[in-house]
Amino acid sequence: MAKVGIVMGSDSDLPVMSKAAQVLEQLGIDYEMTIISAHREPDIFFDWAKKAEEKGFKVIIAGAGKAAHLPGMCAAIFPLPVIGIPMKTSDLGGVDSLYSIVQMPSGIPVATVAINGGANAGILAAKILAASDEALLGRLKEYSGNLKKDVMAKAEKLEAVGYQAYMEQMKK
C-alpha cells in the first residue's frame, strides 16, 4: 500500500516531482504518482483527495506552479501532512508559486520546500514517516551519512588535485 501520494497539476512538473519519487524509492517507501489539475478537473481532484486517506497515504507531496492551488486544496481535504513544491515558472520564476503555497490560512498548513525542491520534499516525507518507523529512520540516517561522505570525498579531491584541475574535471 502506498504511503505517499505524489500529485502534480501538469506533466511539465514531472522532472521535479520525479526527484521526490527517486528519494522515496531509494529509501524503500511506496508511493503513487498522478497528474490532476485542480482547476481543469476539480471533480476528479476532490475524489482523489477524499480517497487519499483510505488508500493508505500518510503524506501527500503536491507540486504546482503559478496560482499553485493544488497543495493547499490537498491540505484542506486530506487530514495528514501535505508537502508543497512550488514550481519554477516562466512568468515570475516560481516566486508566485512559492507565495501561493506558503501563505496558507490558519488551520490549513502546507509544509513548503524550495522552488523545484523535489528531492527535499521526498526527504521531508520520509522524515515524517520515520517518526513512527525505526527501520526507515535507520535508512534515513544512512542516507544522511552518505551525503556527508560525498561532500568529504569532494573536499579531498579538491585538495588533492587543486582548484583548476577540479574545475576541468567537473566540466567533463
Side-chain angles (χ1 to χ4, degrees):
M1 184 182 306
K3 291 187 176 184
V4 178
I6 300 176
V7 63
M8 65 204 89
S10 169
D11 64 349
S12 64
D13 302 334
L14 197 52
V16 172
M17 302 306 285
S18 67
K19 292 177 183 175
Q22 289 166 1
V23 168
L24 296 174
E25 287 173 10
Q26 188 175 356
L27 293 169
I29 300 169
D30 293 330
Y31 66 91
E32 177 184 299
M33 183 184 291
T34 193
I35 299 168
I36 304 173
S37 172
H39 297 115
R40 294 181 184 95
E41 46 189 9
D43 55 331
I44 294 171
F45 166 74
F46 282 113
D47 186 57
W48 181 87
K50 287 179 182 178
K51 291 180 179 172
E53 185 180 9
E54 72 184 53
K55 282 183 166 185
F57 295 169
K58 302 298 181 199
V59 180
I60 290 176
I61 298 172
K66 300 195 180 208
H69 292 130
L70 193 60
M73 289 305 299
C74 285
I77 297 168
F78 183 66
L80 293 167
V82 174
I83 301 166
I85 304 175
M87 296 295 156
K88 185 173 183 179
T89 59
S90 58
D91 300 326
L92 298 172
V95 174
D96 49 342
S97 311
L98 174 65
Y99 287 162
S100 181
I101 296 170
V102 79
Q103 291 295 336
M104 291 300 297
S106 182
I108 314 293
V110 174
T112 309
V113 295
I115 297 168
N116 284 357
N120 271 355
I123 294 166
L124 182 55
K127 287 184 174 197
I128 291 167
L129 295 172
S132 61
D133 184 333
E134 287 295 320
L136 177 55
L137 181 58
R139 293 191 304 273
L140 265 171
K141 288 178 180 180
E142 182 179 342
Y143 181 90
S144 294
N146 288 335
L147 292 176
K148 179 180 177 180
K149 288 177 189 174
D150 289 346
V151 172
M152 291 171 62
K154 290 174 185 177
E156 288 174 14
K157 182 177 177 182
L158 175 62
E159 291 171 12
V161 302
Y163 169 73
Q164 293 297 335
Y166 189 87
M167 293 304 293
E168 287 300 317
Q169 290 176 6
M170 286 184 63
K171 291 178 185 176
K172 295 178 185 177

